[in-house]
Amino acid sequence: MTAEIIDGKAFAAGLRARVGDVAAAFEAAAGRKAGLAVVLVGEDPASAVYVRSKGKATLAANMASFEHKLPADTDQATLIALVDRLNADGKVDGILVQLPLPKHLDEQAVLLRISPDKDVDGFHPVNAGRLATGMPGFVPCTPLGCLMLLKDQLGDLSGKEAVVIGRSNIVGKPMAALLTAASCTVTLAHSRTRDLPGHVSRADIVVAAVGRAGFVKGEWLKPGATVIDVGINRVDGALTGDVEFDSAASVAGAITPVPGGVGPMTIACLLRNTLVAAHRNAGIALDEAAL
Ligand code: NAP
């Protein structure tokens, strides 16, 4: 193996600690804690675990956590009414509705109802538009975490060739927008891309967000490339990424492991976004780029 392992767990711990310090200063200045409301509908076990760990991390970062657990048969009007109350609640800076919602609910309508200024997940089309046009808004947490790891590893990304594999609204598309804003030359690949290995072979940066275990092979990579593996796949009970780790690590310059790479960055960036929202909502200045 030649690649440096990018320790997302350690970077995320540092980010959470910085957020905790700034959150304590926010409380002193604003006279209240920054607050994150998380809404869980139904009893999906994986979602319940995510919501619990988000709540714990929020409290550990000196912020207030408001958990709203609704039964699986909650109707659309009740959920929308809760979102409206949270939009109007001055103690709530960020609102997160845990996905997926039960099938009978209209997910898109619920996400559209969240105030874009409390949309710390960055899923609202207004925030997607702000990202696309370079306006301040909220960026989805997973690609934001990937960008932080890349900047920490490589410094200035300007002029680098980047290939993003996957074009979902929550990972691939915002990742491509962030890398474009960082002055990379970006190729956004998907299931219809022709000669994916050919594209990957030219890339200084590869971000894999496909959802297929071991999909990206080491032999596709340009020697020395930086590889960010977003994939979380369960194979025989173990978590594994979208990149074939052993072959990739023998060619890449640096690579994120799964687990312990991108995963821990997602919650850390959620806390960061909530704290940014709190400062904006309270009209208190914050050097957002330094956080
Ligand atoms: P998604 O919505 O299923 O999107 C997958 C993308 O991969 C699609 O754009 C699809 O192309 C593309 N794709 C599928 N097969 C392909 C192929 N053979 N060649 C090239 N592209 C192909 O998935 P997602 O929500 O973005 O998530 C991707 C992965 O990241 C999953 O493993 C997920 O669990 C993980 N994830 C991790 C975190 C984290 O915190 N670390 C957060 C979110 C997601 P088409 O558009 O053409 O269908």
Side-chain angles (χ1 to χ4, degrees):
M1 188 179 82
T2 56
E4 188 183 331
I5 304 300
I6 300 174
D7 189 346
K9 203 172 160 193
F11 190 95
L15 176 56
R16 287 205 312 271
R18 287 200 298 287
V19 167
D21 290 345
V22 177
F26 174 84
E27 185 180 2
R32 67 169 180 88
K33 286 183 187 286
L36 174 65
V38 179
V39 179
L40 174 64
V41 186
E43 270 118 44
D44 176 60
S47 294
V49 169
Y50 288 139
V51 166
R52 233 187 346 266
S53 53
K54 284 168 188 170
K56 268 170 63 180
T58 306
L59 296 175
N62 296 321
M63 299 197 273
S65 168
F66 308 101
E67 280 182 31
H68 295 267
K69 291 186 180 150
L70 305 180
D73 62 357
T74 298
D75 62 24
Q76 184 80 10
T78 304
L79 181 55
I80 292 285
L82 172 59
V83 170
D84 286 347
R85 280 203 305 283
L86 296 173
N87 281 338
D89 186 339
K91 296 188 296 302
V92 172
D93 298 294
I95 302 170
L96 181 154
V97 176
Q98 185 65 45
L99 303 178
L101 289 172
K103 294 266 176 292
H104 67 281
L105 295 170
D106 180 350
E107 208 163 88
Q108 197 60 35
V110 173
L111 294 181
L112 275 172
R113 195 76 172 202
I114 296 172
S115 162
D117 297 329
K118 295 192 177 188
D119 169 41
V120 286
D121 253 344
F123 293 165
H124 195 291
V126 165
N127 280 317
R130 288 169 171 163
L131 174 60
T133 55
M135 290 166 65
F138 291 106
V139 175
C141 300
T142 300
L144 179 60
C146 295
L147 186 77
M148 286 183 183
L149 293 178
L150 282 167
K151 284 188 167 168
D152 184 58
Q153 187 68 29
L154 297 171
D156 184 14
L157 305 183
S158 176
K160 298 207 180 293
E161 295 277 344
V163 171
V164 178
I165 314 171
R167 57 174 163 180
S168 71
N169 289 334
I170 61 169
V171 187
K173 278 184 205 158
M175 187 76 245
L178 284 169
L179 290 168
T180 303
S183 298
C184 293
T185 304
V186 181
T187 301
L188 182 51
H190 45 76
S191 66
R192 306 296 177 90
T193 297
R194 274 181 275 157
D195 188 21
L196 181 60
H199 288 288
V200 171
S201 71
R202 291 186 290 277
D204 305 304
I205 293 168
V206 178
V207 180
V210 187
R212 292 179 172 215
F215 177 72
V216 176
K217 313 295 178 202
E219 71 216 43
W220 298 2
L221 298 170
K222 175 172 161 178
T226 301
V227 179
I228 304 290
D229 190 348
V230 183
I232 300 179
N233 309 288
R234 201 168 279 280
V235 177
D236 300 332
L239 289 187
T240 176
D242 287 345
V243 178
E244 193 178 77
F245 185 84
D246 289 344
S247 67
S250 66
V251 184
I255 185 168
T256 56
V258 178
V262 173
M265 291 300 293
T266 300
I267 288 186
C269 286
L270 174 68
L271 302 176
R272 182 235 174 241
N273 280 356
T274 303
L275 190 58
V276 166
H279 283 79
R280 291 182 189 165
N281 293 341
I284 295 175
L286 172 70
D287 183 0
E288 295 178 9
L291 199 57

